[in-house]
Amino acid sequence: MLKGKNAVVTGSTSGIGLAIARALAAEGVNITLNGFGDAAAIEKERSGIESEFGVKAVYSAADLTKGSECAALIKFGEEQLGSVDILVNNAGVQHVSPIEDFPDDKWDLIIALNLSAAFHATKAAVPGMKARKWGRIINTASAHALVASPFKSAYVSAKHGIAGLTKTVALETATFGITVNAICPGYVWTPLVEKQIPDTAKARGITEEQVKEFLLAEQPTKEFVKVEEVAALAVFLCSDGAKSITGSLQQIDGGWVAE
Ligand code: NAD
């Protein structure tokens, strides 16, 4: 049912975004990849998706901290693949610090990338989806869209903001065959989590070794969520079976926010 649809997945050169891009490609969806990283590694992923799944895959290095580049990314996807039927707003970064030391530039970066980028890309993608009377928008939020943790003021604020954006756009597009949902993962072992280990150790006064244990203490399953599990949820949200699911915040967190 998804075969021949076209998707833009932001922040898909790594982690959750890459897993979602690959899972959609496995369903026959053509993919616009986006994100930073080593050019040769990205080209290997892009061409690998094409040969493995028999779809078209293109890549844009758009820096989504800039609103104009978010809009340009959607235009690129429309020009290269013919349309943007599925938009996954996934790119994100983290910074861990007590509020009184939280660097202003990190606050601005996280709000720009983790929240405003989704606004700009969604704004650019919705007209085409409305015209075709079909669309799927998935925002990679977080358990931190529902609950807070100390030392993550910008991230928690951005993710709570994404929850509001998700619900609002879902209401505006509900009669156009468009669904808008947020996925709220708990801890998933990706470079984003790996990179916050030293700062979390510093902020909490524990060793780096203790941090991993500390993170999993949040999750009743005591296991990291796998990127493939998040990707499977994204594919389901794109399916016909999920067409009445809109404006929802989907928890995939090993029971974290149920506690
Ligand atoms: P990751 O570091 O593996 O991937 C982040 C992606 O964003 C990369 O492709 C990176 O190149 C891209 N990116 C960074 N800056 C960018 C920019 N300015 N413009 C465009 N792309 C940019 O991290 P991840 O864990 O896969 O995170 C993906 C999303 O999942 C994020 O929104 C994150 O907040 C969310 N999330 C992650 C976890 C987790 O535990 N890993 C939990 C909940 C939510």
Side-chain angles (χ1 to χ4, degrees), residues 11 13-14 16 36 63-64 90 140-141 155 159 185-186 188 190-193:
T13 54
S14 168
I16 293 169
F36 299 155
D63 176 353
L64 303 186
N90 170 80
T140 309
Y155 189 85
K159 295 299 185 182
V188 188
T190 67
L192 180 140
V193 167

Side-chain angles (χ1 to χ4, degrees), residues 1-2 19-20 23-27 29 86 88 134-138 179-183 227-246 248-252:
M1 168 257 153
L2 292 176
I20 292 176
L24 287 172
E27 298 295 318
V29 177
I86 298 167
V88 183
W134 197 93
R136 294 287 185 267
I137 299 172
I138 297 174
T179 69
V180 189
N181 293 289
I183 293 181
V227 290
E228 292 79 9
E229 297 167 35
V230 181
L233 178 54
V235 169
F236 172 66
L237 289 172
C238 290
S239 72
D240 258 351
K243 77 181 179 39
S244 299
I245 301 176
T246 194
S248 77
L249 310 179
Q250 300 280 327
Q251 300 162 28
I252 175 164

Side-chain angles (χ1 to χ4, degrees), residues 9-20 34-37 42 59-66 69-70 73 89-94 109 112-114 117 139-144 155 159 183-196 215 219 224-225 227 230 252 256:
V9 185
T10 74
S12 49
T13 54
S14 168
I16 293 169
L18 179 58
I20 292 176
N34 156 258
F36 299 155
I42 293 170
Y59 166 69
S60 160
D63 176 353
L64 303 186
T65 58
K66 302 184 175 91
E69 296 203 22
C70 301
L73 172 65
N89 290 307
N90 170 80
V93 287
Q94 174 64 287
L109 167 71
L113 183 62
N114 296 20
N139 297 319
T140 309
S142 168
H144 284 122
Y155 189 85
K159 295 299 185 182
I183 293 181
C184 302
Y187 287 110
V188 188
W189 192 254
T190 67
L192 180 140
V193 167
E194 225 173 326
K195 280 184 225 155
Q196 65 185 276
L215 296 180
Q219 284 182 192
F224 285 100
V225 179
V227 290
V230 181
I252 175 164
W256 174 351

Side-chain angles (χ1 to χ4, degrees), residues 99-135:
I99 185 73
E100 60 270 36
D101 301 325
F102 209 96
D104 294 352
D105 61 339
K106 292 289 184 196
W107 171 273
D108 291 342
L109 167 71
I110 290 172
I111 298 300
L113 183 62
N114 296 20
L115 178 57
S116 301
F119 159 72
H120 292 296
T122 300
K123 180 179 171 181
V126 159
M129 292 179 179
K130 274 189 169 177
R132 289 184 298 278
K133 295 259 188 293
W134 197 93

